[in-house]
Amino acid sequence: MIQRFLFENISMNYIIIVVALLLLAFAIITLSRQQKRKAATFPPGWHNLLCQHVHFYDQLTATEQKRFQKRMMQFLSEVYIESIDFELEDLDKLLVAASAIIPVFAFPDWHYINLSTVLIYPDHFNDDLNFGHKDEQKHIAGMVGSGRFNHQMILSRKALHEGFDKKSDLHNTGIHEFVHLIDMTDGVADGTPERLIAHSYSIPWLKLIHREMEAINDNKSDIRSYGGTNEAEFFAVASEYFFENPILLKKNHPELYEMLSACFHKK
């Protein structure tokens, strides 16, 4: 009886120790990921890649390009980028970082506090996050995670690269998903980024959104139809348009252009 009691106590203590060690290991890994890494030096070859693939960067002055480079490297020191089922290349990391910096370039102190990891899949994926050749309904190009995927973004590599193709149709998956993160900094994705839009603009902004969404759903707008889904998707889709072709947006939607210019502090 005593031996049995001692054996049960030893077993229980062993389990407690193992669980404690596992929790400690998890805490150490989490803490190490949260700590800022030192920003690396901007690779010289990336300048040409940016000029070739990122129109926003190519239009900046030399001084602004230097600032953009610094912001990119700071982002890459704070967020992990991981590839799934393919070998990550410099251009992949560069396009993710550019997608992150473009919407907040006018905000020098901006950090994506609600993002720790960007997972890049080789292609579009389905609701179960599967992307294999035999998987069906692979229609998702990108998403901002929630639940167990909280603080994570998932991007299709194919969609990410297509978004920066100069022949693209005002669609940029990378910018779209980062705008969602900007929208969510107040805790909810509602199409009204309180950290960017002054309170006095909130009601006019919502009225404008609903007018534009109505036009989309009535097939009377050149804004991508997905923007008619809800306010959050409209903000992300309209922001893609704003950064991909601001001249055309200003011509076709002058009020929306002015509102987004105020939002993103674009001169």
Side-chain angles (χ1 to χ4, degrees), residues 75-207:
F75 170 82
L76 291 172
S77 74
E78 297 172 350
V79 176
Y80 287 85
I81 300 178
E82 300 177 4
S83 58
I84 307 298
D85 209 29
F86 73 92
E87 188 173 344
L88 195 68
E89 297 179 357
D90 281 355
L91 184 57
D92 302 318
K93 294 186 289 185
L94 182 149
L95 294 181
V96 171
S99 300
I101 299 307
I102 287 172
V104 295
F105 187 56
F107 302 86
D109 298 322
W110 185 278
H111 298 272
Y112 287 96
I113 58 175
N114 51 355
L115 179 67
S116 61
T117 306
V118 176
L119 301 175
I120 307 181
Y121 282 19
D123 205 340
H124 290 60
F125 47 95
N126 60 25
D127 291 325
D128 295 322
L129 304 183
N130 295 319
F131 56 87
H133 294 296
K134 296 181 180 180
D135 296 307
E136 299 180 353
Q137 298 180 339
K138 297 181 295 181
H139 61 283
I140 304 175
M143 63 178 288
V144 178
S146 59
R148 66 190 180 99
F149 289 103
N150 194 32
H151 283 217
Q152 294 188 19
M153 177 186 292
I154 304 174
L155 293 173
S156 155
R157 185 193 197 197
K158 181 180 179 181
L160 174 67
H161 284 251
E162 287 178 346
F164 285 95
D165 186 336
K166 293 182 180 179
K167 298 179 182 178
S168 67
D169 55 349
L170 310 178
H171 183 23
N172 188 304
T173 296
I175 291 176
H176 182 104
E177 297 305 327
F178 277 100
V179 168
H180 275 320
L181 282 182
I182 294 169
D183 187 10
M184 294 168 62
T185 51
D186 61 344
V188 60
D190 57 4
T192 305
E194 279 78 0
R195 287 190 61 184
L196 303 188
I197 296 180
H199 181 70
S200 59
Y201 283 99
S202 296
I203 293 178
W205 169 245
L206 286 173
K207 288 182 178 179

Side-chain angles (χ1 to χ4, degrees), residues 43-58:
W46 282 20
H47 170 72
N48 289 335
L49 282 175
L50 281 168
C51 289
Q52 182 182 351
H53 294 278
V54 182
H55 179 72
F56 181 92
Y57 175 87
D58 193 40

Side-chain angles (χ1 to χ4, degrees), residues 200-229:
S200 59
Y201 283 99
S202 296
I203 293 178
W205 169 245
L206 286 173
K207 288 182 178 179
L208 176 60
I209 282 181
H210 293 149
R211 287 203 308 270
E212 294 284 359
M213 287 177 62
E214 185 177 349
I216 292 172
N217 293 325
D218 288 341
N219 295 318
K220 296 178 180 178
S221 175
D222 66 331
I223 298 175
R224 191 157 60 92
S225 60
Y226 192 53
T229 306

Side-chain angles (χ1 to χ4, degrees), residues 5-76:
F5 175 77
L6 290 174
F7 176 77
E8 288 178 350
N9 268 354
I10 292 171
S11 298
M12 182 60 66
N13 288 336
Y14 176 76
I15 293 172
I16 292 173
I17 292 171
V18 170
V19 171
L21 288 173
L22 288 173
L23 290 174
L24 179 61
F26 178 77
I28 292 173
I29 292 172
T30 302
L31 181 62
S32 66
R33 286 210 161 193
Q34 289 177 343
Q35 289 177 338
K36 292 183 180 179
R37 294 168 289 168
K38 183 179 179 181
T41 302
F42 182 79
W46 282 20
H47 170 72
N48 289 335
L49 282 175
L50 281 168
C51 289
Q52 182 182 351
H53 294 278
V54 182
H55 179 72
F56 181 92
Y57 175 87
D58 193 40
Q59 299 300 303
L60 297 175
T61 65
T63 300
E64 290 172 331
Q65 287 181 349
K66 290 291 184 182
R67 186 159 60 88
F68 193 94
Q69 295 170 10
K70 185 177 180 181
R71 295 283 303 279
M72 277 183 54
M73 301 314 293
Q74 184 64 47
F75 170 82
L76 291 172

Side-chain angles (χ1 to χ4, degrees), residues 242-261:
F242 178 76
F243 289 109
E244 287 292 293
N245 198 329
I247 295 176
L248 186 61
L249 180 66
K250 186 175 183 178
K251 175 184 176 183
N252 294 341
H253 307 271
E255 189 177 357
L256 178 60
Y257 173 84
E258 292 301 326
M259 192 67 80
L260 288 173
S261 293

